[in-house]
């Protein structure tokens, strides 16, 4: 845990690149967290405008208009209210699977994210970016959406960079 109470995830090497594992304990029921991951109005509050068809093979489109990045992929694993996986990429790009898992935990829930990246990409930057977006998700659950927390991104990128070496 860092001085400000943030607990970093971990990055490990895989056969084809890197895997980041990030988690959040949230004081909100799993259904509310699931809605944040899958409903267009909620996605726009913490990630970017987009839509996800909630079924295996369903279309995923997330548009980061400010950066010109558009995620255009398919749902590769799906279990309602519990598991969502899709690639964080567009056609013609390397696959960067994201695996979201939501588990009830008491009156709240645990949100787990696994980010897989191919060799040659910067796992510290990717995981730090998701740390920022997870912070935005937590704030949106509280009803107070925030802008991307750049200070957290910088801190997380440094911590993850040390993990990768």
């Amino acid at each position: 845990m860092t001085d400000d109470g943030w607990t970093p995830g971990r990055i490990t090497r895989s056969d084809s690149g890197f895997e980041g594992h990030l988690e959040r304990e949230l004081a909100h029921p799993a259904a509310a967290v699931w809605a944040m991951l899958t409903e267009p109005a909620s996605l726009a509050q913490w990630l970017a405008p987009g839509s996800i068809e909630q079924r295996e093979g369903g279309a995923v489109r997330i548009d980061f208009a400010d950066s010109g990045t558009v995620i255009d992929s398919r749902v590769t694993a799906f279990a309602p209210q519990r598991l969502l996986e899709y690639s964080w990429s567009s056609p013609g790009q390397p696959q960067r699977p994201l695996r979201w898992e939501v588990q009830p935990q008491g009156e709240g829930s645990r949100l787990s994210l696994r980010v897989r990246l191919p060799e040659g990409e910067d796992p510290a930057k990717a995981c730090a970016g998701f740390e920022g977006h997870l912070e935005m998700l937590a704030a949106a659950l509280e009803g107070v959406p925030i802008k991307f927390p750049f200070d957290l991104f910088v801190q997380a990128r440094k911590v993850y960079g040390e993990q990768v070496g």
Side-chain angles (χ1 to χ4, degrees):
M1 183 177 293
T2 61
D3 293 342
D4 63 0
W6 168 69
T7 302
R10 67 189 184 287
I11 296 175
T12 56
R13 281 203 168 274
S14 70
D15 292 341
S16 58
F18 299 93
E19 268 193 25
H21 300 266
L22 290 68
E23 288 191 348
R24 287 291 188 284
E25 305 284 332
L26 300 164
H28 294 273
V33 175
W34 183 257
M36 282 289 167
L37 297 177
T38 59
E39 293 179 6
S42 298
L43 276 171
Q45 293 179 48
W46 69 275
L47 190 59
S51 62
I52 298 174
E53 290 180 21
Q54 295 188 48
R55 62 179 176 80
E56 196 162 331
V60 176
R61 183 167 175 84
I62 303 171
D63 188 350
F64 291 85
D66 293 344
S67 70
T69 301
V70 176
I71 304 308
D72 186 8
S73 74
R74 296 269 167 208
V75 174
T76 53
F78 182 81
Q81 303 288 315
R82 192 174 58 80
L83 169 68
L84 175 65
E85 184 177 276
Y86 55 90
S87 181
W88 189 252
S89 44
S90 292
Q93 293 183 332
Q95 293 296 295
R96 299 175 192 94
L98 298 180
R99 185 177 183 92
W100 301 95
E101 294 186 62
V102 182
Q103 299 171 318
Q105 192 167 324
E107 294 189 20
S109 56
R110 175 191 305 261
L111 175 61
S112 301
L113 170 61
R114 185 173 71 193
V115 181
R116 290 186 307 229
L117 295 164
E119 192 69 47
E121 295 198 10
D122 184 348
K125 180 180 177 184
C127 288
F130 280 109
E131 290 289 1
H133 283 291
L134 287 172
E135 194 72 14
M136 293 172 71
L137 183 149
L141 280 166
E142 295 296 332
V144 288
I146 60 172
K147 292 188 183 296
F148 186 81
F150 190 72
D151 290 346
L152 174 59
F153 170 81
V154 170
Q155 177 187 15
R157 190 168 184 186
K158 180 177 186 279
V159 169
Y160 286 126
E162 291 168 357
Q163 284 186 22
V164 175

